[in-house]
Coordinates of all heavy atoms in Angstrom, one line a residue:
Chain Z
T80 N 0.8 -0.6 6.2 CA 1.7 -1.4 6.9 C 1.2 -2.9 7.2 O 1.8 -3.6 7.9 CB 2.1 -0.8 8.3 OG1 0.8 -0.6 8.9 CG2 2.7 0.5 8.1
Chain P
N20 N 19.7 3.7 3.6 CA 18.7 3.9 4.5 C 18.5 5.4 4.9 O 19.5 5.9 5.4 CB 18.9 3.0 5.7 CG 17.8 3.0 6.7 OD1 16.9 4.0 6.7 ND2 17.6 2.2 7.6
G22 N 16.4 6.8 6.8 CA 15.6 7.1 8.1 C 14.5 6.1 8.4 O 13.6 6.4 9.1
G23 N 14.7 4.9 7.9 CA 13.8 3.7 8.2 C 14.0 3.2 9.6 O 14.9 3.7 10.3
C24 N 13.2 2.2 9.9 CA 13.4 1.6 11.3 C 14.3 0.5 11.3 O 14.4 -0.2 12.4 CB 12.0 1.2 11.8 SG 11.4 -0.3 11.1
N25 N 15.0 0.1 10.3 CA 15.8 -1.0 10.1 C 15.2 -2.3 9.8 O 15.8 -3.3 9.5 CB 16.7 -1.2 11.4 CG 18.1 -0.7 11.3 OD1 19.0 -1.0 12.1 ND2 18.4 0.0 10.2
G26 N 13.8 -2.3 9.8 CA 13.1 -3.5 9.5 C 13.4 -3.9 8.0 O 13.7 -5.1 7.8
C27 N 13.3 -3.0 7.2 CA 13.6 -3.3 5.7 C 15.0 -3.7 5.5 O 15.3 -4.5 4.7 CB 13.3 -2.1 4.9 SG 11.5 -1.8 4.8
D28 N 16.0 -3.0 6.3 CA 17.5 -3.4 6.1 C 17.6 -4.8 6.4 O 18.3 -5.6 5.7 CB 18.3 -2.6 7.0 CG 18.0 -1.0 6.8 OD1 16.8 -0.7 7.0 OD2 18.9 -0.4 6.5
Q61 N 15.5 2.6 1.6 CA 14.6 2.3 2.7 C 14.4 3.5 3.6 O 15.2 4.2 3.8 CB 15.3 1.1 3.5 CG 15.2 -0.2 3.0 CD 16.6 -0.7 2.6 OE1 17.4 -0.5 3.4 NE2 16.8 -1.3 1.5
G62 N 13.2 3.5 4.1 CA 12.9 4.7 4.9 C 12.5 5.8 4.0 O 12.7 5.9 2.9
P63 N 11.7 6.7 4.6 CA 11.2 7.9 3.8 C 12.3 8.9 3.6 O 13.3 8.9 4.1 CB 10.1 8.5 4.8 CG 10.5 8.1 6.2 CD 11.3 6.8 6.0
I88 N 11.9 0.2 -1.2 CA 11.6 -1.0 -0.4 C 10.9 -0.6 0.8 O 11.4 0.2 1.6 CB 12.9 -1.8 -0.2 CG1 13.4 -2.3 -1.5 CG2 12.5 -2.9 0.7 CD1 14.6 -3.1 -1.3
G89 N 9.6 -1.1 0.9 CA 8.8 -0.9 2.1 C 8.0 0.3 1.9 O 8.0 1.0 1.0
S90 N 7.0 0.4 2.9 CA 6.0 1.4 2.7 C 6.5 2.7 3.1 O 5.9 3.7 2.7 CB 4.8 1.0 3.7 OG 5.3 1.0 5.0
C91 N 7.7 2.8 3.9 CA 8.2 4.2 4.1 C 8.8 4.7 2.8 O 8.4 5.9 2.5 CB 9.4 4.0 5.1 SG 8.9 3.8 6.7
A92 N 9.5 4.0 2.0 CA 10.1 4.5 0.8 C 9.1 4.7 -0.2 O 9.2 5.6 -1.1 CB 11.3 3.5 0.4
G96 N 5.3 6.0 4.7 CA 5.1 5.3 6.0 C 4.2 5.9 6.9 O 3.4 6.8 6.6
I97 N 4.2 5.3 8.1 CA 3.1 5.7 9.0 C 3.3 7.2 9.5 O 2.4 7.8 9.7 CB 3.2 4.8 10.3 CG1 2.4 3.6 10.0 CG2 2.8 5.5 11.6 CD1 2.0 2.8 11.3
G120 N 5.3 -3.2 1.6 CA 5.3 -4.1 2.6 C 6.0 -3.3 3.8 O 6.8 -2.5 3.6
C121 N 5.7 -3.9 5.0 CA 6.3 -3.2 6.2 C 6.7 -4.2 7.2 O 6.0 -4.4 8.1 CB 5.3 -2.2 6.7 SG 6.1 -1.2 8.1
P122 N 7.7 -4.8 7.1 CA 8.7 -4.8 5.9 C 8.3 -5.8 5.0 O 7.6 -6.7 5.3 CB 10.1 -5.1 6.6 CG 9.8 -6.0 7.7 CD 8.5 -5.5 8.2
P123 N 8.7 -5.6 3.7 CA 8.3 -6.7 2.7 C 9.1 -8.0 3.1 O 10.2 -8.0 3.5 CB 8.9 -6.1 1.4 CG 9.8 -5.1 1.7 CD 9.5 -4.6 3.1
Ligands
SF4_203 S1 8.6 0.2 5.7 FE1 8.1 -0.6 7.8 S2 9.9 -2.0 8.3 FE2 10.5 -0.7 6.4 S3 11.7 1.0 7.3 FE3 9.5 1.6 7.2 S4 8.6 1.2 9.1 FE4 10.6 0.0 9.1

Side-chain angles (χ1 to χ4, degrees):
Chain Z
T80 56
Chain P
N20 185 339
C24 75
N25 259 191
C27 289
D28 306 56
Q61 285 114 41
I88 294 184
S90 63
C91 283
I97 275 202
C121 183

